[in-house]
Amino acid sequence: MTDHVLKSRVGTVHWGYFDAAEKPVLTIKSGDRVTMETISGAPDVMPPPSSGFKIPPELLEVHAQVPRKLPGHVLTGPIAIDGAMPGDVLQVDIEAIECRQDWGYNAIRPLAGALPLEFDRVRIVHIPMDREKGVGKLSWGAEVPLRPFFGVMGVAPPPAWGMITSLAPRQHGGNMDNKELVAGTTVFLPVHVPGANFSAGDGHGAQGDGEVCVTAIETALTGTFKFTLHKGGSLDWPRAETPTHAITMAFDPDLDSAARAALRDMIKLLGEKKGLSREDAYMLCSLAADLRVTQLVNGHNGVHVMLEKRYLE
C-alpha cells in the first residue's frame, strides 16, 4: 500500500462536470490510500474582505484559470485505479474527513430548492465554523453540530453519456449528498471506464436529509480514502456501509421511482448476502428497513434505504 497526497489546485481539479474523457491527474494501485483536498464555491458566494474569513488562495486561482464547463461543482481528480475495468466495483473506504477552513456558506436562490416558488431573492449566508467545538454558528445563536462529508463522490460515467453536469447524481454516484457518508463509512461504486476515474468535491460541514434549500454548509475539506478494486460484480447503483448499517441508493427525477429503485437494490443485496428469496427480503425491508429522502433538490432526487447490518450476517 502506498500513501498519496492530492492537492486541490489548477491542474488537479475540473469544474462543473463528469466526463469519461477527462484524463486522470493521479494513477494508483488497488489498496493505495489518497489524502485529497477539495475546495468549494464560485466567485459570487465568496465572503467579503470585511468578514475576516480567509479564502483558500488556490480557490481564487481556480476561479481565474479553470473553465467552468457546466453548472456544477469544483471537483478534485480524477484518480485512476490501475487495472479497473467496466463491470468492476470500486470500494472507497472513507478513513478521515477534516474541515480545511473556519467558515462555510449557504445559498438560497429563486426557482431552486424544495420550495422553488416561495423564495424570491438570492441570499448568501457565511456561517462561522468552530472546528474545536465542532459546531456551525447560526446568526440567531443556534449551533449546528459539524458532521463533515463529501456531497460529491463518483467515478466517470459511461462514455456514451459524454460530458454531464455534476449537479445530478446518477448510477456513477456524483452529487449524492448523502449525509451518512462520513468518516468511517465505505462507498461502493460501479466502474464504467478503464481506471474508474474517481473524483470528489462539494464539501459539507453539516446537512439534513433532503438538503431542502439546495445547499448545506458548503466548505473546503480534506479527506483520506483507501481504494480497493473488486474484479467483476453486479452493481447497478452506488451502495454504502456504515459501522452499523448497509445502505442502497438510487436517483431519479421522480422521487417515487428513486425510492423503488433503491428498495429493489436492497432486496437484491439481501439475496446476494443472505440468500433470501425476493419475497422474504421484501418482507424484511417492510419490517426493518428505513427509506430516507437523501435530497430532493438536484434534478435527480435521491432515496437511500438503511438496514442494520446484523440482518446480513
Side-chain angles (χ1 to χ4, degrees), residues 95-110:
E95 297 187 347
I97 303 177
E98 296 180 355
C99 296
R100 294 183 59 210
Q101 57 192 36
D102 61 357
W103 62 275
Y105 72 90
N106 180 270
I108 297 174
R109 293 184 174 87

Side-chain angles (χ1 to χ4, degrees), residues 77-97:
I79 298 169
I81 292 78
D82 190 33
M85 294 298 294
D88 295 340
V89 173
L90 181 63
Q91 174 180 331
V92 184
D93 293 302
I94 308 168
E95 297 187 347
I97 303 177

Side-chain angles (χ1 to χ4, degrees), residues 229-291:
L229 181 64
H230 298 281
K231 299 301 294 181
S234 58
L235 204 58
D236 300 314
W237 293 96
R239 291 176 180 171
E241 289 184 7
T242 75
T244 57
H245 286 75
I247 302 175
T248 57
M249 296 175 271
F251 315 98
D252 193 272
D254 178 70
L255 192 63
D256 288 348
S257 295
R260 293 187 186 104
L263 176 58
R264 288 189 193 102
D265 202 40
M266 182 58 78
I267 291 170
K268 178 182 176 183
L269 178 61
L270 282 163
E272 293 169 355
K273 299 292 187 182
K274 195 66 177 176
L276 295 185
S277 68
R278 281 179 53 81
E279 291 80 6
D280 283 345
Y282 192 28
M283 176 179 69
L284 178 58
C285 287
S286 192
L287 301 180
D290 293 314
L291 277 70

Side-chain angles (χ1 to χ4, degrees), residues 66-85:
V66 176
R68 178 165 44 175
K69 295 185 179 180
L70 289 174
H73 311 84
V74 179
L75 303 179
T76 305
I79 298 169
I81 292 78
D82 190 33
M85 294 298 294

